[in-house]
Amino acid sequence: IEDTSAGSEALCNLHSEKLRLYCLDHQQPMCVVCRESRAHFNHSFKPIDECADDYRDSLRTSLKPLQQNLNLLSEAEVKWNLTAEHIKMQGQNTEESIKEEFQKLRCFLQQEEESRIAAVRAEAEQKSSAMKRTVETLSREIKRLKDIVEATEEELRATDVEFLNKYRAASERLNKQPLLKCPMLTPGTLINMTEHVGNLTDKVWQKMKDMVTYSPVILDPNTTVQVVSKDLTSLTYTNNISHLPENPERFKNYILCLGSESFNSGIHYWDVEVGNDRGWSVGLIKDSVDRKAERLTGYWELWLKDGLYRASCPPHIEERLTLTRPIRKVRVHLDWEGGKLKFINLDTNTTIYTFVQTFTEKLYPFFDNSCQTPLRILPAKVNMKLTI
C-alpha cells in the first residue's frame, strides 16, 4: 500500500486503484480489483470507512476505562495534596501549642520543650514524607496514563488506512494497561495531636505542681469539623470546613467531636461548661458507630436545641426535659460496669437524667456545639505529692 501526496486518498500499490475495501480475513485495506483476485477468494469484505468506524468505536471502548482511571487518580492527587497541606498546618499549630505551654515552664523545662517539639517535627516529617511519596507515585502514574491516552487519541485522528495499520498494536497496548486503585487515607494518617499536646502539663507536673492543669477528657480535632482550642479542651462552631481532609476518624455528616480516649470499664466523669442557650450536646457514643453514616445510632446524649432540653438514645429514647433553670455546667458520669450514665447539673448538684443501659463495648465521650461561644471541658482538681 502506498500513499499519494498529502491530503489525497491512498492507492493500491498493485493496481493503482483507490483503497475502498477492507479484507476481514487478511485485516488489510485493498481496492476493488484485489477483491476479485485469487488471494482473496471467498473472503469477507467491508467498506473501508465502515470498518474504520467500527474499529474506532472498539478502541474508544478500550480507552474509556483508562480515561476514567486517569480522572479518578487526578482527583485523588488533589485530595492527597490538600491532606499534605493540612498535616503541615497541624504540625505548625502543634508546635505553637507546645511552645505556649512550655513558655510558662521555660527556665525549668527547656530540655523537655525541645524534645517534644522534636517529636512533633519528626512525626510531621515522617507523615509528610509518606504523603509526598504517595503524591509522587500518583503523579508518575498520571503522566504514564496521559502519555498513553494522548498517543491513542493521536492515532484516532489518523487517516483510515494509517489508523487501521496501527489499530492492533494500539488495542493491545490499551488492553494490557493496568487500572490502579486510588489510594485511601488510613487511620493514623494525620498527626496525633493528642499525643503531643493532650494533658501536656500533667506529664511534667512532678516539680511544677502549681502550674499543673489536668483535663479528664481531651478533644480529638481529627474527629470533627469544629474548631478545637490549642490545648484541646474547648470546642467552637464554624462553617468553614473546606480545608479539612475526609480522614477516617472524622464524622462526615455530623459535627461531633470525640474525646481522644475511650472507656470500656470503671467509673469516669468530666465536667462541661456549655455556656450558650442556642444549641449543644454532650454524651457517649459507641466505638463501632459508622462515622460516615447518614444517620447515627448507638449513642446517649443530653442536648439543647431551640430552647428545649432533651435526653435521647436513638432510635429508642427521646424525652423532653422540664427544667427550672438553664444548664450552664453539666457533669457526665459514667459507671460502665454498673450500666448507668448520669447527667448532673453542677450549679444545683441535682441529677438531670439517668440512662440505665448494659454497656458491651468501648464508649467515646462526644461533644457538639452549635454556636461560637466555646463549649469547654473544665479542668479537674489535681492532688499531688512532690517527691525529690
Side-chain angles (χ1 to χ4, degrees), residues 325-343:
R325 57 185 296 180
I327 299 173
R328 299 302 179 193
K329 297 178 182 178
V330 58
R331 171 168 293 177
V332 183
H333 188 283
L334 169 67
D335 182 353
W336 199 93
E337 283 88 359
K340 289 185 179 181
L341 171 62
K342 292 194 296 183
F343 297 94

Side-chain angles (χ1 to χ4, degrees), residues 181-380:
K181 293 183 178 180
C182 292
M184 303 294 292
L185 293 177
T186 57
T189 299
L190 304 182
I191 290 175
N192 188 348
M193 296 174 65
T194 61
E195 178 183 351
H196 300 293
V197 181
N199 288 330
L200 183 57
T201 54
D202 182 63
K203 295 174 183 177
V204 293
W205 63 269
Q206 291 189 19
K207 293 186 178 180
M208 303 296 289
K209 62 177 183 178
D210 293 335
M211 302 182 67
V212 168
T213 60
Y214 174 77
S215 176
V217 172
I218 294 298
L219 301 177
D220 185 352
N222 293 339
T223 65
T224 186
V225 298
Q226 299 188 75
V227 177
V228 177
S229 62
K230 287 185 177 182
D231 64 355
L232 310 182
T233 62
S234 68
L235 190 67
T236 306
Y237 174 78
T238 181
N239 57 7
N240 181 22
I241 62 174
S242 59
H243 63 288
L244 295 174
E246 292 185 9
N247 54 294
E249 298 92 340
R250 198 179 308 278
F251 287 86
K252 182 177 181 180
N253 298 297
Y254 291 78
I255 60 174
L256 303 183
C257 181
L258 298 192
S260 62
E261 296 183 8
S262 61
F263 307 119
N264 61 359
S265 64
I267 295 174
H268 309 272
Y269 66 89
W270 52 96
D271 300 334
V272 186
E273 184 176 59
V274 291
N276 76 83
D277 296 321
R278 178 177 175 182
W280 51 263
S281 173
V282 294
L284 286 159
I285 190 168
K286 293 180 179 179
D287 179 39
S288 61
V289 165
D290 180 5
R291 301 186 187 188
K292 308 302 180 183
E294 292 290 333
R295 296 184 65 86
L296 291 181
T297 58
Y299 63 91
W300 302 262
E301 68 173 341
L302 173 70
W303 58 289
L304 168 68
K305 184 178 181 181
D306 299 328
L308 299 177
Y309 293 97
R310 294 181 176 87
S312 61
C313 175
H316 306 297
I317 299 173
E318 181 165 330
E319 292 190 25
R320 180 176 173 179
L321 306 177
T322 302
L323 304 179
T324 58
R325 57 185 296 180
I327 299 173
R328 299 302 179 193
K329 297 178 182 178
V330 58
R331 171 168 293 177
V332 183
H333 188 283
L334 169 67
D335 182 353
W336 199 93
E337 283 88 359
K340 289 185 179 181
L341 171 62
K342 292 194 296 183
F343 297 94
I344 301 168
N345 188 332
L346 289 181
D347 291 329
T348 61
N349 197 30
T350 57
T351 299
I352 304 169
Y353 193 85
T354 301
F355 289 102
V356 178
Q357 175 78 43
T358 300
F359 302 116
T360 59
E361 63 176 275
K362 292 192 294 186
L363 305 176
Y364 278 93
F366 78 85
F367 309 85
D368 183 0
N369 188 10
S370 299
C371 81
Q372 294 183 348
T373 301
L375 180 150
R376 188 166 67 97
I377 301 168
L378 298 175

